[in-house]
Amino acid sequence: MTFTVSRRTPVSPGDDEVAFATVTEMFAMTQRSNHATAFAGWVVTMSAMGVVLQWGTIQSLAGSARGVVLLAALGPVAAALGYVVVLLTRAHNVTAGAQEDFHRFIAMTPPDEPEFAAPAFRRLRLLTAAARHRAILTRTALTWSYVAGAAFLAWSAAAVALAAGR
């Protein structure tokens, strides 16, 4: 048995279930991505705050050879934190375009228009693919934030120890 949205487009009863499963999966991925984004962003922000709070220590390290080496070691840490920001920005851009396209389609296309279901489902699948890509990028950003955060903590401890030993 099939249901008809319009005279031209027969829809099987399973399409609603597939669409619901797709939307549910997308919301779960988005929630996990939001948590990863929040934590990765927090690590980057706290590391930047750490540099600001340790500015006096950083200035005192510049006077010794070991201090200069330690300051040079901050470069890769800053690069890793910058990479986290790049990943998070890419993750946002991936979904922003797909969301805009989906919302524009829904806003501009009446649901009773012939041939509505197939293009709507296709756009929903594109939005889900974008959410998957975002999930991969935010998971990668989270991993890099763990590494960069741990490296910054180690650098910070070494900087404080070196400054205290002077």
Side-chain angles (χ1 to χ4, degrees):
M1 176 177 183
T2 61
F3 298 98
T4 305
V5 173
S6 70
R7 290 185 194 109
R8 295 184 198 165
T9 310
V11 178
S12 70
D15 284 351
D16 290 340
E17 294 169 9
V18 171
F20 181 73
T22 301
V23 170
T24 303
E25 174 188 359
M26 185 178 57
F27 284 139
M29 281 186 294
T30 301
Q31 185 179 27
R32 286 189 301 270
S33 290
N34 287 345
H35 290 133
T37 299
F39 186 74
W42 180 82
V43 169
V44 170
T45 303
M46 291 302 107
S47 297
M49 292 277 298
V51 168
V52 169
L53 292 173
Q54 293 181 6
W55 191 250
T57 304
I58 291 170
Q59 287 177 329
S60 72
L61 292 175
S64 70
R66 282 194 267 166
V68 171
V69 170
L70 190 60
L71 288 175
L74 187 58
V77 175
L81 291 167
Y83 186 57
V84 171
V85 172
V86 167
L87 287 170
L88 293 177
T89 302
R90 283 182 55 205
H92 167 74
N93 291 339
V94 161
T95 54
Q99 286 173 342
E100 185 178 320
D101 180 51
F102 182 75
H103 291 297
R104 187 180 317 111
F105 172 78
I106 295 299
M108 299 182 84
T109 309
D112 59 347
E113 182 174 307
E115 305 292 327
F116 177 79
F121 190 68
R122 185 172 45 256
R123 283 183 170 79
L124 182 61
R125 291 180 63 81
L126 290 173
L127 186 58
T128 303
R132 281 190 189 112
H133 190 188
R134 178 181 184 248
I136 291 167
L137 289 170
T138 56
R139 235 180 302 133
T140 304
L142 182 62
T143 301
W144 273 92
S145 72
Y146 284 136
V147 171
F152 181 75
L153 285 174
W155 179 89
S156 184
V160 169
L162 186 60
R166 286 184 103 200

